[in-house]
Amino acid sequence: MNNRKKGLTLILVEGVDEKDPFLKVICHTFPKLKIDYEKEVYTFNTNIYHLYDELVKEYGDENGNLDWEQTDVDLPVLLSREYPELKGFRKVNFKNILLCFDYDCHDPHYSPEKLDAMQKLFSDSSDNGKLYLNYPMLESYCHCDLREKEAFLDLKVKAKELTGEQYKPLAKSYSNLYRIFNIESKLDLSKEEKLREALFDIEYSTEKHQCLSDIRSQVYLSHPEYSQKQLNKFTGKVYSCLFHKTIAYKEKESFLQFRRRTIQTLVQYHQEKALVMIQKETLQEEVDMQKILSAQNELLREKEHIYVINTSLLFLIDFNPRLIEV
């Protein structure tokens, strides 16, 4: 057995978009989670309905029947066939097991009954694992304007808009949240560590002219060969990625501090929306994922739309509610 110690976290996500940048940014922004992004996050590389089929194949009887409420699933054992580094490990080696998948009601294999079974099976992060479904998909995290809380609490999307080709561009362009999560790639900073650190650590002024001047100075230090036109263009792009169309940043706040506060506010919005959906009154009450799923299935069946909500964000609260205190 490797040197893996009991008490670590195992996170299974649907695909690479969930792993990078979504979970990567969250893990780096909240180091108190103590999640080793490189070693504890794994991709399944297909959707929730294929995972359902894999579980039936592994744990079902010869007729394909499976007792979804009583079956003891050991996810690390199942994943070890794809990831050799997990060989020899069982779920007891992990303090928390999380699964982050999309609702994917546009998928040909969509089945409310299958989703219900999966949500019941994966209801405890310290046992089989806890399933966090994103409605309609991962990109729901950026389908929110933090300046318009009440609008988000009632935000729905029509069934005909639920395919990835239609929904993803809609969500990504809705506010600046997608840029905030993807700023490294948007600014092509992967090979510019010094510029990245400088831009992230500057204590920005809320006065736009001074803020642009500070950004421009850092860009010039890294790229003295830039022409005035290139400097101005890149400076404007940085400013847009950092602060356009989102909550107001505070005086002398670095981008890292701003991104943490942005995510904290975002999680609070999604938590409040979840509790409204299941008619809970206080933020101290735990979100019942089964009730969220039932409410969404009913809304889709009767009204042909669903609420936009990303429950994967809520794992921050399950880990430690103080993490989202602004």
Side-chain angles (χ1 to χ4, degrees):
M1 184 175 289
N2 298 331
N3 293 323
R4 188 181 296 270
K5 299 177 181 179
K6 183 176 180 180
L8 297 181
T9 295
L10 173 65
I11 304 179
L12 178 64
V13 298
E14 183 168 316
V16 293
D17 288 339
E18 285 84 356
K19 184 174 182 179
D20 186 1
F22 180 72
L23 276 173
K24 183 177 183 180
V25 166
I26 290 177
C27 291
H28 288 177
T29 305
F30 298 92
K32 288 184 179 180
L33 287 170
K34 296 182 179 179
I35 295 176
D36 188 330
Y37 162 80
E38 298 293 342
K39 296 180 179 179
E40 298 179 47
V41 181
Y42 295 86
T43 57
F44 189 63
N45 296 318
T46 188
N47 65 27
I48 189 73
Y49 306 107
H50 285 89
L51 178 57
Y52 176 97
D53 292 340
E54 285 293 315
L55 292 172
V56 170
K57 182 179 178 181
E58 180 71 17
Y59 296 102
D61 61 24
E62 59 183 14
N63 297 315
N65 298 316
L66 182 63
D67 187 338
W68 291 95
E69 295 191 41
Q70 299 298 323
T71 298
D72 183 35
V73 171
D74 205 318
L75 203 57
V77 173
L78 196 62
L79 291 176
S80 67
R81 295 164 192 169
E82 182 70 23
Y83 295 97
E85 63 269 29
L86 287 175
K87 286 188 181 298
F89 294 98
R90 306 184 67 86
K91 63 184 180 182
V92 295
N93 294 108
F94 298 91
K95 182 177 181 181
N96 292 290
I97 297 176
L98 315 177
L99 301 89
C100 301
F101 281 81
D102 294 346
Y103 183 58
D104 275 347
C105 60
H106 62 281
D107 189 274
H109 299 97
Y110 164 71
S111 164
E113 293 76 21
K114 289 182 179 180
L115 290 173
D116 186 67
M118 293 288 279
Q119 195 73 77
K120 288 178 179 176
L121 180 66
F122 296 108
S123 61
D124 185 349
S125 63
S126 63
D127 188 19
N128 287 340
K130 183 168 183 177
L131 173 62
Y132 297 85
L133 286 172
N134 301 314
Y135 303 89
M137 56 192 68
L138 171 72
E139 286 72 19
S140 54
Y141 80 86
C142 54
H143 195 178
C144 173
D145 188 335
L146 296 179
R147 302 167 301 176
E148 302 288 343
K149 177 181 176 181
E150 294 305 317
F152 171 70
L153 293 180
D154 193 49
L155 183 63
K156 307 178 187 73
V157 62
K158 297 178 182 177
K160 63 182 180 182
E161 298 173 336
L162 297 182
T163 63
E165 291 77 9
Q166 292 176 296
Y167 182 72
K168 289 182 179 183
L170 169 67
K172 291 177 180 179
S173 62
Y174 195 78
S175 70
N176 204 39
L177 287 170
Y178 181 74
R179 291 183 181 183
I180 289 173
F181 271 81
N182 292 267
I183 188 170
E184 287 87 346
S185 60
K186 286 289 182 182
L187 297 177
D188 196 22
L189 296 175
S190 59
K191 296 181 180 179
E192 298 197 47
E193 186 174 345
K194 289 185 178 180
L195 177 58
R196 176 190 176 278
E197 290 180 355
L199 292 175
F200 280 24
D201 291 339
I202 294 174
E203 292 183 345
Y204 290 98
S205 168
T206 54
E207 198 281 307
K208 185 175 180 180
H209 179 76
Q210 183 60 51
C211 183
L212 288 169
S213 177
D214 291 341
I215 294 172
R216 195 174 188 275
S217 296
Q218 294 301 327
V219 175
Y220 178 74
L221 287 174
S222 296
H223 292 283
E225 77 281 4
Y226 275 9
S227 66
Q228 292 297 316
K229 184 177 181 179
Q230 287 175 308
L231 276 174
N232 291 337
K233 183 178 180 180
F234 192 76
T235 297
K237 187 176 181 181
V238 172
Y239 181 85
S240 179
C241 282
L242 292 176
F243 304 122
H244 180 61
K245 289 177 64 178
T246 187
I247 57 175
Y249 61 101
K250 297 178 179 179
E251 185 70 23
K252 298 302 180 182
E253 183 176 46
S254 72
F255 174 69
L256 287 176
Q257 293 169 328
F258 173 73
R259 181 153 71 177
R260 182 181 300 112
R261 187 164 58 87
T262 297
I263 295 175
Q264 288 170 328
T265 304
L266 181 63
V267 175
Q268 289 175 359
Y269 281 19
H270 282 262
Q271 179 194 32
E272 185 170 341
K273 185 166 186 173
L275 294 173
V276 168
M277 288 175 61
I278 59 178
Q279 300 179 341
K280 294 287 186 180
E281 296 181 355
T282 68
L283 297 181
Q284 282 69 43
E285 297 184 71
E286 184 177 352
V287 173
D288 189 325
M289 297 299 178
Q290 196 75 43
K291 290 183 178 179
I292 292 288
L293 175 61
S294 296
Q296 295 284 46
N297 286 338
E298 182 179 352
L299 195 59
L300 181 62
R301 182 176 63 252
E302 296 183 358
K303 303 292 185 180
E304 295 188 345
H305 58 241
I306 61 171
Y307 280 106
V308 172
I309 184 169
N310 186 297
T311 71
S312 293
L313 288 166
L314 303 183
F315 90 87
L316 279 166
I317 301 172
D318 291 341
F319 263 74
N320 184 354
R322 290 187 176 183
L323 290 175
I324 68 163
E325 294 177 358
V326 178

